[in-house]
Amino acid sequence: MSARAALSLQVNGAAVDRDVEPRLTLADFLRNELKLTGTHLGCEHGVCGACTVLVDGEAVRSCLLFAVQAQGRSITTVEGLAQGADLHPLQRALLERNGLQCGFCTPGVLMTAMEFLENTSVPTREEIRKALSGTICRCTGYQGMVDAIAEIAGGDR
């Protein structure tokens, strides 16, 4: 029998207490233990960005973090953005600006953009592109994403 570790954290505003294997990644914890499958696993090496979540407001690759490293932290996943059936304004803007196609990268894009918008007032399109550069999208060409983020930021420079 493998050793287990106690884990207490907040996920999308709810307290979560579990015993987990110390080697369990945060991505696998979210997907398998909590059934929050919006956090996607692509490369599992921290390169693609699909697994990005917010840890205490900071965009983090959840495939590179052990769940136990999130002890006492606040995690926000893509499921935590909408309020019931009401999409977050950034989710709505991505939809309206054709900033998603297959949707695989969308959770990572959203979470990356959330941190970026929290820390950047009225960004330029170049700043938005740079912020998204760590998230790989094979479908959209990024233009709709940039348009949506610029719209939400209140600038269209």
Side-chain angles (χ1 to χ4, degrees), residues 29 36 42 59 73 80 82 89 93 110 138 140:
F29 174 73
L36 296 172
R73 314 283 294 274
L110 283 163
R138 294 181 176 174
T140 68

Side-chain angles (χ1 to χ4, degrees), residues 84-151:
D86 295 328
L87 294 178
H88 184 280
L90 183 56
Q91 290 172 307
R92 185 175 293 102
L94 271 177
L95 180 63
E96 291 171 356
R97 295 293 194 124
N98 297 314
L100 52 95
Q101 286 183 17
C102 83
F104 191 81
C105 70
T106 303
V109 167
L110 283 163
M111 304 318 288
T112 298
M114 292 297 292
E115 179 200 27
F116 173 72
L117 290 170
E118 183 67 29
N119 296 312
T120 310
S121 61
V122 194
T124 65
R125 288 179 173 276
E126 187 57 36
E127 289 171 321
I128 295 169
R129 285 184 191 93
K130 184 176 180 181
L132 293 178
S133 67
T135 304
I136 297 172
C137 175
R138 294 181 176 174
C139 300
T140 68
Y142 298 93
Q143 191 58 48
M145 294 174 190
V146 173
D147 291 344
I149 294 167
E151 176 185 312

Side-chain angles (χ1 to χ4, degrees), residues 40 64 144:
H40 292 163
L64 297 179

Side-chain angles (χ1 to χ4, degrees), residues 18-68:
R18 297 282 169 92
D19 286 333
V20 299
E21 290 186 27
R23 65 184 183 169
L24 182 69
T25 67
L26 181 58
D28 286 334
F29 174 73
L30 294 169
R31 291 181 57 79
N32 301 328
E33 298 285 325
L34 301 184
K35 307 303 182 205
L36 296 172
T37 58
T39 300
H40 292 163
L41 283 169
C43 68
E44 297 191 57
H45 295 284
V47 176
C48 73
C51 69
T52 302
V53 298
L54 299 180
V55 177
D56 293 335
E58 181 181 346
V60 172
R61 305 292 205 251
S62 63
C63 73
L64 297 179
L65 190 70
F66 290 118
V68 294

